């Protein structure tokens, strides 16, 4: 992978204005650690980079794949790179993003520590956020692909949900038409094509989940509060109602 070294922030410190896709704002280079106050315009970026792979770039073999990243961060320790620290309470990550709005802020837009965006007209993306275990030179393990941690002892603190798959609608929240298109197949997919779907009404044999809901898949009828299990084959689903006590 080609590497470029920079002596300081590159295109850092957008201080207002309206940034079009092909006409980004003129950047103001700042010193590391300087706080950028933004009091005008509609586009502000502490760091902006763009990579545009084109003809001649990359690889066609899985052994040596091409790599094009808008931003790349790497933290490494242990042989052969460096001796691990002698201390034992250190937060370490390749890339970190920190979101802080002290107090409450009535904002209809999205607010998050990390946001993965699939841009308009994209037809071949795998995920907005991807956990990927790379390399094959030795045993590699991790506790989880996605994890949750907390260092907060103040009473009343905490995440409201571990996972929130209820589609947020910032366009509607901002006074526009609904921008939500429900999941086109299922809310969750697991091994062996076992999926979890939520919809209104009774599932239809042979139609609901056709060619993507494997045996053992679950369908929740939120209108009638019923759960169904898929007992057929993936190409011809058969849904059986799970009985319950009255």
């Amino acid at each position: 992978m080609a590497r470029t070294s920079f002596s300081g922030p590159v295109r850092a410190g957008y201080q207002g204005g309206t940034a079009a896709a092909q006409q980004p704002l003129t950047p103001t280079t700042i010193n590391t650690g300087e706080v950028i106050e933004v009091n005008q315009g509609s586009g502000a970026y502490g760091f902006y980079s763009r990579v545009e792979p084109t003809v001649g770039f990359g690889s066609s073999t899985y052994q040596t794949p091409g790599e094009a990243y808008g931003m790349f961060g790497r933290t490494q320790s242990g042989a052969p790179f460096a001796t691990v620290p002698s201390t034992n309470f250190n937060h370490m990550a390749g890339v970190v993003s920190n979101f802080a709005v002290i107090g409450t802020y009535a904002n209809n837009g999205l607010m998050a520590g990390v946001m993965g965006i699939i841009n308009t007209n994209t037809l071949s993306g795998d995920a907005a956020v991807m956990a990927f275990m790379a390399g094959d030179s030795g045993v590699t393990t991790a506790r989880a692909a996605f994890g949750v941690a907390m260092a907060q002892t103040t009473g009343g603190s905490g995440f409201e949900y571990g996972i929130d798959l209820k589609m947020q609608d910032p366009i509607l929240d901002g006074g526009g038409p609904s921008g939500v298109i429900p999941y086109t197949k299922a809310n969750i997919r697991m091994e062996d094509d076992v999926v979890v779907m939520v919809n209104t009404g009774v599932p239809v044999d042979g139609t609901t989940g056709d060619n993507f809901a494997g045996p053992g898949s679950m369908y929740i009828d939120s209108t009638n509060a019923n759960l169904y299990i898929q007992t057929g084959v993936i190409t011809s689903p058969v849904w059986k109602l799970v009985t319950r006590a009255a």
Side-chain angles (χ1 to χ4, degrees):
M1 179 177 64
R3 291 175 171 83
T4 303
S5 297
F6 302 107
S7 59
V10 178
R11 302 187 70 185
Y14 283 165
Q15 301 188 56
T18 301
Q22 303 302 324
Q23 295 177 324
L25 299 173
T26 301
T28 300
T29 301
I30 61 174
N31 294 323
T32 303
E34 183 176 333
V35 176
I36 310 165
E37 297 291 343
V38 180
N39 58 11
Q40 61 179 327
S42 60
Y45 311 91
F47 183 97
Y48 181 97
S49 68
R50 176 181 292 177
V51 176
E52 296 182 346
T54 187
V55 176
F57 166 80
S59 169
S60 297
T61 64
Y62 73 89
Q63 296 96 333
T64 57
E67 297 178 315
Y69 307 130
M71 183 178 296
F72 182 89
R74 181 169 185 168
T75 299
Q76 59 189 31
S77 188
F81 305 113
T83 303
V84 296
S86 58
T87 53
N88 63 3
F89 199 103
N90 305 296
H91 300 310
M92 302 170 68
V95 176
V96 172
S97 176
N98 187 307
F99 173 79
V101 174
I102 310 304
T104 58
Y105 170 38
N107 175 34
N108 291 319
L110 303 174
M111 297 189 289
V114 176
M115 187 181 298
I117 299 173
I118 301 294
N119 213 343
T120 184
N121 297 324
T122 298
L123 300 178
S124 54
D126 288 315
V129 177
M130 174 72 74
F132 174 48
M133 185 172 285
D136 199 22
S137 60
V139 175
T140 305
T141 64
R143 179 172 56 86
F146 297 96
V148 180
M150 186 174 180
Q152 176 60 260
T153 60
T154 304
S157 299
F159 299 103
E160 292 184 358
Y161 304 98
I163 299 176
D164 186 357
L165 296 181
K166 181 180 179 180
M167 197 76 74
Q168 193 167 335
D169 195 345
I171 297 177
L172 181 65
D173 293 341
S178 177
V180 164
I181 299 174
Y183 299 106
T184 57
K185 289 187 176 181
N187 301 64
I188 299 173
R189 183 173 71 162
M190 295 171 281
E191 294 299 314
D192 299 322
D193 291 306
V194 175
V195 303
V196 177
M197 292 182 283
V198 179
N199 211 328
T200 57
V202 177
V204 178
D205 289 347
T207 300
T208 303
D210 182 30
N211 212 36
F212 69 84
S217 293
M218 292 171 282
Y219 176 99
I220 299 170
D221 173 4
S222 60
T223 299
N224 301 299
N226 284 326
L227 172 64
Y228 294 80
I229 299 293
Q230 207 281 85
T231 61
V233 296
I234 194 171
T235 53
S236 184
V238 176
W239 298 97
K240 299 296 184 182
L241 176 66
V242 177
T243 58
R244 61 183 187 275

